[in-house]
Amino acid sequence: MPTKIFKDISFIFMEKWRLLLHPANDAFTNMAIDEALLISGKPTIRLYKWKPSAISIGYFQGIEEEVNLKECKEMGVDVVRRISGGGAVFHDEHGEITYSLVLPQKMLPKNILKSCDKICSCLAKGLHYLGLNAKFSPLNDVVVNQKKISGSAQTRRYGNVLQHGTLLIDVDVKKMFSLLRVSKKKIEDKNIEKASKRVTCLRNEIGEIKEGEIINALKKGFENGFGVELVEEELREEEMERAKELREKYASREWNFKR
Amino acid sequence: MPAENGILKGELKVKGGKLIKCSIEVKNKEIKQIKITGDFFMYPEEKIEEMEEMLIGKEIKEDAIKKALDEFFLEVETFGASKEDFLEVIMMAIKTIKTNS
């Protein structure tokens, strides 16, 4: 059957996007690499971790409003302002895989909600491979049984889109609330309990799981969602150079304390 | 006399959207300093600083601020908070002048 032949050889024509599997980096390097990828605009999925643990805040947030800086310093937790909007996130070095996706704008819906849906639905697809009932939850989350397991933030510039976000493997709500400056009411045990009912993580949902399995599932989710093949590659020389320069901005007081 | 020279604050959780916080310093019924923060999205991001600059010196009247925002929002796109929400949070802060006095 001609259609069968076409199906069998379709992988030859399948578009190939770059997959970057990065070791844990510090917050400033992580944000610098994401911006370097946004500038280059080469279709890329990057999976990474944070070491040391860090808090990232949204572009528009006030650092002192959102972060308990004293506690962060004592706990050795870095704080960085993102290039993207959205909320403050605690990136636990043992509790999270972070993804970033970069594409030319024209390859995604122009409408922000629709583009967010498209990307988050790939994450949800990935989680389906792990047996989870995950779905996109507007505006920018992925939920499993109504509980948030992933949050994302998107920025657009240079004709390209960068969306980065979290996938929680394990969550220490108490630690999170000691580092993030939420209103006093929220720190009370009652509210921490409430927060743990709204948030979940892979460990809660499926128990222990190997990192390789998670990465594989996410890879398949993106491949399936976009109809592409992800091929593991490295950063280009010029991207590395650019990231090195951009790291200075992300590590600077001027950038992080600008709001 | 109302306390018109203090820092005024407004906070709005947009229904089905994000949080916008606003702090304003008012002098002689004009905005002297303004900061708008929150977990919303605005494209391009650095326009927020232009928006704050642009609001400085504006009379603290709803129609004056609305007009300024109408013009500004031609150049940006937001997600999780609309132009009307920004106006609302600014007016929320301004209106505390009377309730604080």
Side-chain angles (χ1 to χ4, degrees):
Chain A
M1 290 286 284
T3 50
K4 182 164 190 314
I5 293 166
F6 180 73
K7 219 176 178 181
D8 286 344
I9 60 169
S10 63
F11 72 93
I12 297 173
F13 307 110
M14 202 177 258
E15 207 177 317
K16 290 180 173 59
W17 290 0
R18 172 170 62 171
L19 175 67
L20 296 170
L21 297 178
H22 281 170
N25 277 304
D26 72 19
F28 317 118
T29 304
N30 274 335
M31 292 299 92
I33 293 174
D34 276 359
E35 187 173 349
L37 295 176
L38 173 64
I39 293 169
S40 81
K42 183 176 158 68
T44 301
I45 308 286
R46 173 180 177 236
L47 300 176
Y48 60 99
K49 300 181 85 170
W50 308 67
K51 194 175 181 177
S53 298
I55 282 173
S56 76
I57 57 169
Y59 182 95
F60 307 102
Q61 293 189 298
I63 190 165
E64 273 156 307
E65 262 170 23
E66 302 295 334
V67 186
N68 185 339
L69 292 167
K70 193 170 160 262
E71 187 76 11
C72 283
K73 203 172 177 187
E74 277 167 19
M75 305 280 280
V77 170
D78 285 338
V79 183
V80 70
R81 180 179 301 280
R82 297 191 306 268
I83 193 182
S84 56
V89 182
F90 172 51
H91 307 277
D92 192 322
E93 76 177 86
H94 303 295
E96 182 190 309
I97 289 187
T98 310
Y99 80 93
S100 56
L101 170 145
V102 167
L103 282 180
Q105 162 87 71
K106 58 178 189 288
M107 292 171 77
L108 279 168
K110 194 173 182 300
N111 177 278
I112 290 160
L113 183 60
K114 281 183 186 157
S115 66
C116 220
D117 185 344
K118 173 83 186 164
I119 299 165
C120 290
S121 295
C122 293
L123 293 172
K125 268 198 178 88
L127 294 176
H128 295 166
Y129 292 116
L130 298 175
L132 293 179
N133 175 27
K135 60 173 192 197
F136 171 58
S137 170
L139 300 170
N140 49 349
D141 296 338
V142 174
V143 296
V144 172
N145 304 324
Q146 282 92 50
K147 289 180 179 180
K148 177 173 173 172
I149 197 163
S150 163
S152 292
Q154 189 183 115
T155 180
R156 300 172 170 207
R157 48 188 76 211
Y158 319 112
N160 303 321
V161 173
L162 161 68
Q163 184 165 311
H164 43 198
T166 60
L167 173 62
L168 284 176
I169 299 173
D170 200 2
V171 62
D172 184 343
V173 176
K174 209 164 186 174
K175 186 171 182 188
M176 187 168 90
F177 277 133
S178 73
L179 298 166
L180 293 175
R181 204 180 278 291
V182 270
S183 61
K184 276 184 194 141
K185 273 189 186 161
K186 280 194 179 168
I187 300 178
E188 290 165 16
D189 281 344
K190 231 160 99 188
N191 284 284
I192 289 177
E193 243 171 63
K194 252 190 205 163
S196 40
K197 279 180 188 155
R198 286 197 316 266
V199 177
T200 191
C201 58
L202 288 178
R203 190 155 293 167
N204 283 350
E205 298 296 326
I206 45 176
E208 289 301 320
I209 180 167
K210 288 202 178 99
E211 205 173 288
E213 267 183 77
I214 305 169
I215 289 171
N216 254 336
L218 290 177
K219 179 177 178 250
K220 280 201 319 205
F222 281 110
E223 285 182 330
N224 195 314
F226 280 100
V228 297
E229 187 192 347
L230 292 180
V231 181
E232 206 181 326
E233 285 177 43
E234 303 289 325
L235 278 178
R236 290 171 175 170
E237 192 76 25
E238 73 258 27
E239 289 169 329
M240 252 189 281
E241 282 303 310
R242 196 166 276 148
K244 212 181 273 176
E245 283 167 30
L246 287 165
R247 189 189 179 281
E248 285 180 32
K249 170 180 88 174
Y250 286 106
S252 73
R253 195 179 162 86
E254 189 191 354
W255 169 260
N256 289 319
F257 282 78
K258 74 183 203 149
R259 306 186 70 72
Chain B
M1 279 292 287
E4 293 198 6
N5 293 339
I7 304 279
L8 313 171
K9 287 187 185 287
E11 196 171 315
L12 174 69
K13 165 71 178 72
V14 178
K15 210 173 170 206
K18 299 295 178 186
L19 186 76
I20 323 176
K21 297 179 193 175
C22 172
S23 61
I24 303 181
E25 201 182 331
V26 170
K27 199 174 182 185
N28 304 326
K29 294 192 171 143
E30 283 179 0
I31 295 176
K32 192 185 166 207
Q33 213 45 261
I34 180 164
K35 206 83 184 162
I36 295 171
T37 57
D39 62 355
F40 53 88
F41 296 87
M42 181 182 283
Y43 309 98
E45 286 82 357
E46 60 275 13
K47 283 272 174 189
I48 191 81
E49 278 104 28
E50 272 178 46
M51 174 173 159
E52 291 166 345
E53 291 268 300
M54 176 277 288
L55 287 167
I56 292 172
K58 292 280 179 296
E59 215 181 324
I60 51 165
K61 278 188 177 164
E62 183 153 354
D63 52 349
I65 292 163
K66 183 180 180 302
K67 192 165 165 262
L69 290 182
D70 279 343
E71 223 166 275
F72 175 79
F73 268 76
L74 296 174
E75 293 174 39
V76 296
E77 190 177 352
T78 53
F79 183 57
S82 67
K83 177 174 74 179
E84 289 71 27
D85 298 323
F86 281 89
L87 178 63
E88 189 179 334
V89 77
I90 293 168
M91 292 317 296
M92 209 185 267
I94 288 171
K95 279 172 190 160
T96 61
I97 289 182
K98 283 171 192 136
T99 53
N100 273 351
S101 59

